[in-house]
Amino acid sequence: MTDTTLPLDGIAVDHDATSATTSWGAKTWLAMLAMLATSFALVSAEFLPAGLLTPMAADLGISEGTAGQVVTATALVGAITALLSNVLIGTINRKAVLLGLSALAVVSNLLSAYATDFWLLLVGRAGLGIALSAFWALSMAVVVRLVGTKSMGRGVAMVSLGVSLATIAAPSMGALISDWIGWRHATAITAGLAGFALLLQLISLPSLPASASNSLGDVLGLTRRRGVQLGMLAILMLMAGHMTGSVYVRPFLEQVTSLSTGMIALVLGGFGIAAVVGTVLAGRLADIDARKTLALTATIMALSALALVLWGASIAAAFVFVASWGLAFGMAPVSLQANLSRSAPDALEGAGSLMVVSFQVAITLGAVIGGYVVDTFSATANMSLTAILAALTLLLALSQRKA
């Protein structure tokens, strides 16, 4: 299990004293900036293929469908890594682990950039999957050790901000850079981003020693806690619901709202901007009450999806309610992580592993179920399912005991 003291700059600080601190000093801000830069670099590399599939497939002599499997490889390896990462690192200093993960991301992205065939590309993407999931499995515990439990929401939000920014920037910038100088150079740039994050970690992160290691039994044992079970179920329902609808929002906007490609880009741009706002907002609210923040997140997502079902033919409604959905999407990772961690404050690394596994399973289920629903029924049915699953998450959040 994790230790109960917070070693900052080599000094063991009492957990309760640190928890009472809500203001951040310059060193804390710099350390959190390093964590944000790391999340941005890793998620940018994860989403980059969305804008590169066509030139990547042509260059390697494979189909676009085959090229798309690089995303599957990242997710599959990531799900396995998330469960085992905190077991395998043992008592290695967590700063050293984070530096190692960033170094792995640099090497993996370079291998992908200069791959001569599909299999080398697949190996590179698998390495990225390890770095990505291991980082997220550790991130919650590291954030608490940097900022204290009273500022956990703000800390998680700052790291999650890298996700929101990367989600907006990576696919579009990747496509532009690929058209300008080629997909390999675009991929190499993500190696540079990971290298920059590594440098920031080296300069700003304090020593983060672990007093004990986690066993697989420790991690799985957390699932016996009622709060952890409910926290994982909330992740599965809300994120599966989100993926069920969001992956197929373009067909909805084309078929129901009858928007052109340019207008769809504007609507999705509003989604991304609102997601950034949601991330910051949830960070503030989660430090006050994580359970209510999750309930608010689920409410906004449920109402947004339901409104699209009822009034999605209106262009104005599409803009407003896709943006409000984006707000909920930005709030979701922060509120879900904060909600789960309430039940395992003594084992945040193990809880982090379960959190990442839950997210990966939810994303996979949502995409698969969403594909079946849109093919069998319609894009409107996907939105209805999103609303239902978000509403069930709201009921789950309200049924949980207060922290």
Side-chain angles (χ1 to χ4, degrees):
M1 309 298 281
T2 55
D3 50 3
T4 55
T5 59
L6 308 177
L8 303 176
D9 297 323
I11 302 173
V13 181
D14 180 75
H15 186 279
D16 293 332
T18 307
S19 298
T21 303
T22 56
S23 60
W24 297 359
K27 288 184 177 180
T28 300
W29 275 109
L30 189 57
M32 289 305 301
L33 181 61
M35 294 293 288
L36 186 157
T38 306
S39 69
F40 178 78
L42 291 173
V43 176
S44 292
E46 180 185 20
F47 287 132
L48 194 67
L52 305 180
L53 281 186
T54 300
M56 182 188 296
D59 188 26
L60 295 175
I62 57 178
S63 69
E64 291 184 9
T66 301
Q69 297 311 305
V70 299
V71 178
T72 305
T74 306
L76 179 61
V77 172
I80 298 172
T81 300
L83 190 59
L84 299 177
S85 59
N86 287 321
V87 176
L88 298 176
I89 61 177
T91 57
I92 301 173
N93 190 292
R94 290 345 186 202
K95 178 178 180 177
V97 174
L98 291 173
L99 291 172
L101 294 175
S102 293
L104 175 60
V106 172
V107 172
S108 297
N109 286 325
L110 287 176
L111 183 59
S112 297
Y114 297 103
T116 55
D117 58 46
F118 173 70
W119 295 107
L120 280 177
L121 178 64
L122 209 59
V123 171
R125 295 295 297 184
L128 176 65
I130 293 172
L132 187 71
S133 287
F135 170 78
W136 285 116
L138 272 176
S139 64
M140 188 161 56
V142 170
V143 163
V144 170
R145 296 179 70 174
L146 291 174
V147 304
T149 55
K150 293 296 183 182
S151 291
M152 181 181 66
R154 288 172 57 200
V156 171
M158 189 167 178
V159 179
S160 297
L161 187 60
V163 179
S164 298
L165 294 173
T167 303
I168 298 171
S172 56
M173 291 303 296
L176 290 174
I177 295 172
S178 174
D179 288 344
W180 179 34
I181 56 177
W183 74 270
R184 294 184 184 276
H185 289 88
T187 304
I189 287 174
T190 60
L193 292 175
F196 176 70
L198 188 155
L199 181 62
L200 277 182
Q201 290 174 356
L202 187 64
I203 294 171
S204 65
L205 288 182
S207 177
L208 298 166
S211 63
S213 61
N214 298 294
S215 69
L216 186 58
D218 290 333
V219 175
L220 296 179
L222 292 174
T223 60
R224 291 195 292 268
R225 300 186 187 186
R226 181 65 172 170
V228 171
Q229 293 171 359
L230 295 178
M232 293 176 67
L233 183 58
I235 293 173
L236 289 172
M237 288 197 302
L238 190 65
M239 292 311 298
H242 167 73
M243 290 299 295
T244 297
S246 65
V247 171
Y248 304 96
V249 71
R250 177 165 182 166
F252 178 88
L253 294 173
E254 289 174 336
Q255 299 166 16
V256 178
T257 319
S258 301
L259 296 183
S260 65
T261 301
M263 289 292 284
I264 290 173
L266 287 176
V267 172
L268 296 182
F271 178 97
I273 293 170
V276 173
V277 175
T279 300
V280 177
L281 176 64
R284 295 288 181 176
L285 296 178
D287 284 333
I288 300 172
D289 192 318
R291 184 179 67 96
K292 289 182 179 179
T293 304
L294 175 58
L296 177 62
T297 302
T299 299
I300 295 173
M301 188 176 294
L303 292 178
S304 298
L306 180 60
L308 286 172
V309 172
L310 297 176
W311 303 299
S314 164
I315 294 177
F319 269 92
V320 170
F321 294 115
V322 169
S324 62
W325 189 343
L327 182 74
F329 172 65
M331 295 175 67
V334 181
S335 59
L336 288 167
Q337 288 184 67
N339 181 65
L340 177 61
S341 68
R342 294 186 316 136
S343 301
D346 58 324
L348 290 177
E349 289 188 3
S353 293
L354 295 175
M355 178 266 297
V356 176
V357 171
S358 299
F359 268 96
Q360 295 284 11
V361 172
I363 290 169
T364 302
L365 285 175
V368 171
I369 294 171
Y372 172 78
V373 172
V374 76
D375 288 342
T376 306
F377 302 101
S378 67
T380 302
N382 287 64
M383 301 301 162
S384 299
L385 188 54
T386 296
I388 291 170
L389 289 172
L392 290 174
T393 306
L394 167 62
L395 295 177
L396 179 66
L398 294 177
S399 69
Q400 292 184 44
R401 290 181 296 179
K402 295 182 178 180

